[in-house]
Amino acid sequence: MDTTYKPAEIETRWYAEWEKAGYFAPADNGTPYSIAIPPPNVTGSLHMGHAFQHSIMDALIRYQRMRGNRTLWQVGTDHAGIATQMVVERKLAAEEGKTRHDLGRDAFTDRIWDWKAESGGTITGQMRRLGTSVDWDTERFTMDEGFSNAVREAFVRLYEDGLIYRGKRLVNWDPALQTAISDLEVENHDVNGHLWHLRYPLADGVKTADGLDYLTVATTRPETLLGDAAVAVHPEDERYRKLIGKFVTLPLVSRRLPVIADPYVDREFGSGCVKITPAHDFNDYDMGRRHNLPLINVLDTVGAILPEAECYDIGGKPRADIDTALPADYAGVDRFDARKKIVLALEELDLLERIEDHKLKVPKGDRSGKIIEPLLTDQWFVATEKLATDAIAAVENGDIEFVPKQYENMYFAWMRNIQDWCVSRQLWWGHRIPAWYDKDGNFYVGRDEAEARAAHGLSDAVELRQDDDVLDTWFSSALWTFGTLGWPEDTARLRDFHPTDVLVTGFDIIFFWVARMIMFTLHFMKNPDGSAQVPFKTVYVTGLIRDESGQKMSKSKGNVIDPLDMIDGISLDALLEKRCGSMMQPQLAEKIGKRTRKAFPEGIAPHGTDALRFTLFSLASTGRDINWDMKRLEGYRNFCNKIWNAARYVLMNTEAQQSNNVAPVYSLADRWIQARLQQCIGTIDRAFGQYRFDRAATAVYEFIWNDYCDWYVELTKPVLLDESADPALLAGTRATLLAVLETTLRIAHPFMPFITEDIWQRVAPLTGINGDSIMLAPWPAADTALVDEAALDDIAWLQAVILAVRSIRAAKNIAPGEPLKLILRNPSADDERRLAAQRLSLLKIARLNDIECVAAGTEIPLAAAELAGDLEVLVPMADLIDPAAEKLRISSEMAKQNKEIQRLTGKLGNAGFTGKAPAAVVEKEKLKLATAERALQTLQKQYDALPD
RNA sequence: GCGUCCUUAGCUCAGUUGGUUAGAGCGCUACCUUGACAUGGUAGAGGUCACUGGUUCGAAUCCAGUAGGACGCACCA
């Protein structure tokens, strides 16, 4: 074995071997266990969130694989509609100064395919570096042929089931990206804006109760005035009651608007009159529906004013009874310029009453960052009501469980007021909607054009053109768990591996993805008995990985840490280039540079994949974000090094030794470490069952470092270094060193796959285990028969005595190597037995040259004293003891015991406690009291024995 | 506004269904080149468990409220 641990070399070598050997593919038999990976963007790269989630999935898969289950970790990537199209558009603009329209649809999508071919391997390469044991043989892409087929199938079936419809509706329109987006893709931002109070003159000589000839309406968007269809007041508002049914004249346009009554109007807000613009505001749209108002659209798709308004009824049919003329000087003016112009014009007409500061929420596109415009357009929608009802039931009845549970509330809340889902996007990259139009605008849905023609009896002579729009990326993602397994074909993979067992994902996509997967899967996937199938039984929701001060990691903050840089290390210069190199704003770049230099003055040292993964596991407590801490990573890198060196020790002491066929005898220490190991396995099994990877990681860490390295390895030294040791005992020690290490490697493997494999390959053969890879080795079953309670107690005794001696050494400043004589006063029969069995261990590890037992009360020379339970641990050292100081120490010790005795006496004297607490608890407290009382007596005697 | 979560050692976090003298890692202090490992070893210091009240024999843990923080949803033009 190499004297130093070199993660990079080990990790790349073993991954290649595993992949070549085909270990990631599902086994031929066993109980199926499957996980579908949340497909990362095909052109994306690995970030900390991926590293976190992939590590968790990998641990689950490796654990289940070792347990003999037939594991499938389905891998694949997502075409990520808008995101990918934007990247390529930006590239095209930067490199050739062209837009996608310069190229045309086909040439542009070819460019995207080229870009995918070029950069699509980045993330899969990074996943390999992370050790993910996904089944690469069946890797999928949401736009591969089979999956595209599944998408068309799903669309057509939903349409046939009446769950997809097309219509002219008010949707969130991104004027920059020129596409509709769903409600979820809109982010509301707080801004300080204005409220313009405008006067709308009353028509026909009507006056208000106050004798005014106008109504005042307040608006945050004066430019939408051009599309107003009514003015609304509250039905019980006395001020305006008489005006209901009368008319106002819309300024600038001279359109007659009815005054309508609707309880939605807040009488307290502004004047209590609201302008209603059904084609440019969602609330007004609803009111328009209630009052059959015309939808008057005045904006085009880039957000500029139309030369002439378009008017529809609520069903989307053109409506001819409204004058659609608009003032000529606004035509083609951008919405925000038009706002200024209109305010100015109203001011000139003395129709602007006042302008007020006003805080409001502005909707922005999550991709473009531009202000979203509610716009009346023809779109495809998924009717969600029925789907959502079933999806809610599946979680309510426990078919699907969220871990942690609290996310179910969030899921329910969203599901219960879900709106129909706009699934069409005016993009070029994605699944084109399988609908064809004739010259008159009639549409025909089918799996392909031929089917659409056949279904509707259209001859080849009828000209058809496919819908230009593509589907929302999440439409295809929603089919992921079964689309990847062969659906709509009834494949063996689908039957075997669906439903999947668990979905591991971030809470940020519960609505985007998880909820929609549940809706679609319940609709499409049926069990043989006809009942609906869930996509997964459990949703394990991970927190976000934040930076060390709790900030979200983002490029603009310059606090992103690439997981690969933590694995392989990166120089400061390279890190600076990465963070600031492509920054457009030099000021920001400077700030980030400064921050980076401060945080990583020497770049980032390599830590290896195993250390990174182990850090992620140890921080993975549920329901909480993680503040990343480089120090933790260093700690677990050290842990890897510790394992490496422990293995070196074991191999050094076993590899070269010939087995001389002696029947091994197992020492107390051997039985003890076996017992501890079994307890550790039990803890890990429980932790896996609860998705508590932090607890599992802690159990592995503590067992290896505290039990195996700190105690067991030390306990083997006296035996292994003893020339005259009993060969049977030697054999037992060597066998245990190896066997426990070998098993430990297996239980650590799901968390740290590489270092465990590398060491296991050397250790396993020495234990007589033959296997190709630790990956395929069986998961150890916790064997309670091996939990030797007596050994646990005996070693605990040994540890207590050793700790007492060390404590004396430290307190008295005695060199660690200085041999000491130990006196044990007042030993019980158990103490005597334990001493006899472990005399050698005690002598060597505590570095003693003699141990003597004396009866209680025996007078001995001045000695430093400690208590190990009831046993007095004494180290005679007349010349080092200052009786006065020692008395002080003992009396403070006695004070502590007195306090404890007082506390316990009080508690036990409380009838409430003794009467109501469980007997076991009372007994425990009594025991404590007795121990404390004995300790006090012993201390008193020690005190009295000291000279004044 | 509605809902969820968080507040424990200097820092990052555990604390398994109420029963300890509240733990870990890092950091800190002192000592140690002991033949696996100085990416190490040994011994320590360090906490009124945000605050207030309640339930209970017993509260870091359960309940209510207060303060601070995070997030989700919906918002009155």
Side-chain angles (χ1 to χ4, degrees), chain A residues 55 608-620 628 632-633 635-637 639-640 643 693-702 704 747-753:
Chain A
S55 295
T609 299
D610 285 325
L612 175 70
R613 288 175 53 129
F614 207 83
T615 310
L616 290 165
F617 290 122
S618 71
L619 295 173
W628 186 254
R632 285 292 282 259
L633 179 63
Y636 292 119
R637 192 258 333 259
F639 178 51
C640 290
I643 296 174
F693 305 99
D694 57 333
R695 287 184 189 165
T698 304
V700 169
Y701 183 92
E702 288 181 345
I704 293 179
I747 61 175
H749 179 256
F751 311 103
M752 330 171 84

Side-chain angles (χ1 to χ4, degrees), chain A residues 571-583:
Chain A
S571 69
L572 176 61
D573 286 344
L575 186 61
L576 285 170
E577 173 58 27
K578 211 174 198 174
R579 286 186 168 185
C580 321
S582 59
M583 272 289 154

Side-chain angles (χ1 to χ4, degrees), chain A residues 903-914:
Chain A
R903 190 180 68 84
L904 290 164
T905 314
K907 201 168 179 180
L908 287 162
N910 181 346
F913 175 69
T914 48

Side-chain angles (χ1 to χ4, degrees), chain A residues 809 814-820 847:
Chain A
R809 273 187 199 276
I814 306 164
E818 166 116 22
L820 299 175
R847 292 172 174 267

